[in-house]
Amino acid sequence: NFKMSYDELKAQVRKAPNMLDRYDALVALRDVDVEKKRELLMEVFRNETFHAIKSEVITQLINDEVTNYQLLSVFEEKEPQNKLAFLKNYTGNNTLCIIAFSKALQDPSYDVVQAAVEKLCKIDAVNAARYLAVVKDVYGMNNSVNIKYHELSVINGIDAEIHRNALINYASNQWEFRTRNNTFAALKATGTFSTTLIPHLFDALLSTNGRLAGPASECANYFAQQASNLKAMQEFMAKQNYTSAQKALITGYMPTLK
């Protein structure tokens, strides 16, 4: 492939009439030293309105302490994309960023709220309880924010047993499959397993919805790697009046139960 010089990329980023051409030139600048491209990228950030271009600038300058505080203006925008780019890529713990992320806990976008609480609990874990308290009554699509709230509470040792039980409840068949799938991931992330979870996992394994049974089998097999958990599952299965077809379905997903 023909490699353009920095000056050629600079001209394309600034002047190409087609947005995709400007975007491609911007992506090609990823490997250029930040000292060299900083001024150009900030010019692009100020002048462009398309979110993919602004998000790419954020990705390239996110951990540059000279400029990243100027990128915080995206948290005043209505659309979530640039806020998410900032939250997902930031790895520092600058006070101004923490303040902006704290405000984002009340953003109208559930995705932004979830990304903000997750990032805050990572970069400012000492204040995790305070951040989690802000989002405790936010549920989100398919309860994703509330599940993340319980997950982060367990990880940060805040009333862990209460939150483990809440996650196990979310794995039950009173919830639709997307909520349950979100929960299976949180159960794995927190290492949450008990005998009360087993009926929910087996119920999901017997579902005709493959989009539920698949993730349930991943979760069940993950926990079955531990001998005591596998034994508990085997004992549960032995007590059920499953038909041969149901047993075949379960063991198809979990060969270790045979």
Side-chain angles (χ1 to χ4, degrees):
N1 281 351
F2 170 72
K3 193 170 182 180
M4 296 172 71
S5 70
Y6 174 75
D7 285 340
E8 288 170 323
L9 290 170
K10 182 178 179 179
Q12 186 169 318
V13 163
R14 278 176 159 171
K15 298 173 183 175
N18 187 299
M19 182 273 296
L20 286 175
D21 290 333
R22 299 197 302 278
Y23 177 76
D24 287 343
L26 188 59
V27 170
L29 291 169
R30 284 178 183 175
D31 295 330
V32 174
D33 185 76
V34 72
E35 295 290 337
K36 187 172 185 178
K37 65 183 177 181
R38 181 186 287 130
E39 193 176 324
L40 172 63
L41 262 56
M42 285 309 300
E43 177 188 320
V44 171
F45 181 79
R46 286 190 295 269
N47 295 335
E48 285 283 358
T49 55
F50 188 66
H51 72 81
I53 290 182
K54 293 188 85 164
S55 289
E56 180 60 30
V57 171
I58 290 167
T59 303
Q60 292 189 38
L61 289 179
I62 192 71
N63 294 306
D64 173 39
E65 297 296 341
V66 177
T67 53
N68 63 11
Y69 71 93
Q70 297 176 57
L71 306 176
L72 289 171
S73 61
V74 297
F75 285 93
E76 305 303 319
E77 295 176 3
K78 185 179 178 183
E79 298 301 317
Q81 292 95 333
N82 295 324
K83 290 179 265 195
L84 288 169
F86 199 117
L87 285 162
K88 289 176 180 177
N89 289 288
Y90 185 68
T91 59
N93 62 351
N94 178 292
T95 304
L96 288 173
C97 292
I98 288 172
I99 291 168
F101 298 170
S102 299
K103 289 179 182 173
L105 293 174
Q106 295 174 308
D107 195 88
S109 162
Y110 290 135
D111 288 341
V112 171
V113 172
Q114 185 169 327
V117 72
E118 197 164 6
K119 184 64 71 175
L120 285 164
C121 286
K122 186 173 184 179
I123 67 174
D124 191 27
V126 69
N127 290 307
R130 192 175 82 211
Y131 302 132
L132 288 164
V134 177
V135 302
K136 71 182 177 70
D137 295 320
V138 181
Y139 289 85
M141 288 288 288
N142 309 118
N143 299 291
S144 61
V145 180
N146 196 240
I147 290 166
K148 184 60 67 176
Y149 160 73
H150 292 303
E151 176 189 320
L152 292 169
S153 295
V154 173
I155 288 169
N156 287 279
I158 302 161
D159 295 327
E161 203 56 35
I162 291 170
H163 294 289
R164 286 186 192 279
N165 289 333
L167 288 174
I168 290 169
N169 173 60
Y170 267 135
S172 73
N173 62 13
Q174 67 179 295
W175 304 99
E176 36 66 46
F177 80 94
R178 290 187 179 88
T179 288
R180 297 176 80 182
N181 286 347
N182 287 336
T183 304
F184 297 145
L187 291 166
K188 286 166 66 177
T190 56
T192 296
F193 182 87
S194 78
T195 53
T196 56
L197 174 63
I198 298 172
H200 305 327
L201 289 174
F202 278 54
D203 169 82
L205 291 174
L206 291 170
S207 172
T208 54
N209 182 354
R211 289 187 291 169
L212 171 62
S217 72
E218 286 175 25
C219 185
N221 282 304
Y222 173 81
F223 287 116
Q225 293 174 87
Q226 197 169 321
S228 60
N229 295 344
L230 177 59
K231 185 169 182 278
M233 291 184 198
Q234 289 168 330
E235 288 173 353
F236 174 84
M237 188 166 173
K239 292 174 185 172
Q240 307 308 303
N241 294 317
Y242 289 138
T243 64
S244 55
Q246 287 175 317
K247 287 177 183 175
L249 193 58
I250 292 168
T251 54
Y253 283 116
M254 295 190 69
T256 52
L257 286 174
K258 287 179 182 174

